[in-house]
Amino acid sequence: LYSPSGTPSEWREAIARVEARYGRMIWLIDGAFATPEWLRQYLPVVDGISMYANWSDQSQRELYARITDVMHREFPTKVFEGAVHTTYFVHFHYGGVQPALTEKYRRSWEITLAARPDSLTLTNFFDCYENSRVLPSYELDDVLLRIARHQIDLWKGRQPGESDTPELYVSNHTNVLLGQPLRFEVLGFPLKGPNKEVTVRLEVCDEEEKVLHAFPERQMLLDGLKVETFTLPSDRFLDRRAVHPRVTYRWHGGQFQSYPLPQTNLVTSLRPHVLFWCRALDHQIRIDTSRRWTLNGVGPGGTVTYPPDGVGVI
């Protein structure tokens, strides 16, 4: 029940009518803003709580502080489904929750697992419908799933998965407004065997793989999930449209290098976020609601010949 505005007695009646027709169901109520009194009011009627929202670390901690003891002590047989929030803005709110690359997501795992939930939901994954992508590509969503696998191992009391060779990821933002700092993370996951130390260097490249800036090398001891954060003023690159991160590393006598990763666009307004979303995810900007839209002078429903110079004007 995403927004349970009715009274518990109204829901009891509605649930009875639905189940009389369709059979027994499991009813979970959105506990994103629950209080102890609210839980005591609704949980006698439903089977448990789930969550869908995207909050700051502080508000998430405050929620679990309010409800964890009540769920475990007073309603131990009810479903307690916690929520881990990813790095995305909800509904594209620029004044909303600061994702801070994967930092917020990693803290959300720690906060949620400390509440000892029965099950988990990971909200806002691949959230392209609400235009709220912050990391550049599905390729970088892989790191969110890899963090999830690591944390679920810890949650289940298992030894986290280890790799035979260094498993390194870089996270960066889709767009950065010029004047705001460029931020990057290098994430490493547990290594098998005794050779767990990796020497990492992060490079910032242009589209032709020319190195524009190389950060000093850092040592990473990959005996667990480790993260190194790098920052750089964006106004050093006023003549660039985008920069690509690339990671090189030395390990066990060898030297290795990634290919240039998806770019951070350097932009002067918020509008490119919407355009990047359309291009990256093969979506379309709807123009049939306004007859003022044209592409090279052709309006909605018309046919545009590809221009000889490769430039189209919207």
Side-chain angles (χ1 to χ4, degrees):
L1 310 180
Y2 181 70
S3 182
S5 55
T7 65
S9 59
E10 289 172 328
W11 277 111
R12 190 189 302 274
E13 179 182 349
I15 289 170
R17 292 173 62 186
V18 171
E19 291 189 343
R21 180 169 181 176
Y22 297 106
R24 179 72 174 98
M25 299 180 181
I26 304 299
W27 298 81
L28 302 181
I29 198 167
D30 184 6
F33 304 99
T35 63
E37 295 73 23
W38 187 91
L39 294 172
R40 295 180 185 115
Q41 187 179 16
Y42 281 97
L43 283 184
V45 177
V46 298
D47 299 299
I49 62 172
S50 184
M51 297 181 191
Y52 177 83
N54 203 335
W55 321 303
S56 66
D57 299 342
Q58 179 181 350
S59 60
Q60 191 172 16
R61 285 193 180 93
E62 290 172 351
L63 170 69
Y64 284 122
R66 290 195 304 268
I67 70 173
T68 298
D69 285 346
V70 176
M71 291 299 300
H72 288 306
R73 292 179 183 177
E74 299 183 32
F75 300 100
T77 63
K78 299 289 185 175
V79 175
F80 180 8
E81 185 163 82
V84 177
H85 303 310
T86 71
T87 59
Y88 302 143
F89 293 101
V90 171
H91 301 300
F92 215 65
H93 285 174
Y94 265 83
V97 177
Q98 172 57 253
L101 296 175
T102 68
E103 183 180 353
K104 174 180 179 291
Y105 175 59
R106 289 182 281 111
R107 284 200 301 259
S108 186
W109 270 105
E110 296 169 2
I111 296 167
T112 301
L113 295 188
R116 297 177 290 121
D118 301 312
S119 59
L120 296 172
T121 177
L122 276 62
T123 67
N124 295 81
F125 255 89
F126 308 107
D127 190 0
C128 52
Y129 180 74
E130 294 180 343
N131 308 2
S132 48
R133 297 188 65 78
V134 178
L135 300 184
S137 71
Y138 281 117
E139 181 174 337
L140 292 191
D141 281 323
D142 290 348
V143 70
L144 303 182
L145 296 172
R146 182 63 182 88
I147 291 171
R149 191 177 83 181
H150 180 85
Q151 295 290 356
I152 287 170
D153 282 341
L154 295 175
W155 181 41
K156 297 291 186 180
R158 300 189 296 249
Q159 174 69 28
E162 297 178 325
S163 57
D164 294 316
T165 58
E167 192 178 0
L168 299 172
Y169 291 83
V170 178
S171 68
N172 56 307
H173 286 295
T174 299
N175 297 324
V176 165
L177 286 167
L178 283 168
Q180 294 181 334
L182 290 161
R183 295 185 75 249
F184 308 90
E185 291 174 336
V186 175
L187 302 97
F189 290 88
L191 262 172
K192 285 182 182 177
N195 300 306
K196 297 182 184 294
E197 191 164 286
V198 181
T199 302
V200 173
R201 183 176 72 170
L202 180 67
E203 300 171 336
V204 179
C205 305
D206 65 12
E207 65 278 3
E208 296 178 348
E209 301 190 40
K210 176 186 175 183
V211 176
L212 303 175
H213 178 84
F215 291 95
E217 291 183 337
R218 298 190 190 180
Q219 301 297 118
M220 297 182 72
L221 183 63
L222 299 184
D223 55 357
L225 170 58
K226 298 297 177 66
V227 182
E228 292 287 333
T229 302
F230 302 81
T231 60
L232 192 64
S234 62
D235 54 15
R236 289 185 50 181
F237 308 107
L238 294 175
D239 58 336
R240 303 287 172 179
R241 296 177 62 186
V243 294
H244 295 255
R246 182 173 69 187
V247 64
T248 65
Y249 64 94
R250 293 185 285 113
W251 172 73
H252 199 33
Q255 183 155 330
F256 309 88
Q257 178 177 287
S258 74
Y259 53 87
L261 295 159
Q263 75 268 22
T264 291
N265 298 309
L266 303 175
V267 301
T268 56
S269 73
L270 305 184
R271 182 61 56 189
H273 259 298
V274 180
L275 299 177
F276 188 87
W277 166 74
C278 294
R279 181 184 70 185
L281 298 182
D282 197 26
H283 283 300
Q284 299 175 350
I285 302 175
R286 289 195 59 115
I287 64 171
D288 56 351
T289 55
S290 171
R291 291 297 169 184
R292 294 189 300 273
W293 281 87
T294 64
L295 176 59
N296 283 6
V298 179
T303 300
V304 181
T305 303
Y306 191 80
D309 58 0
V311 175
V313 178
I314 295 179

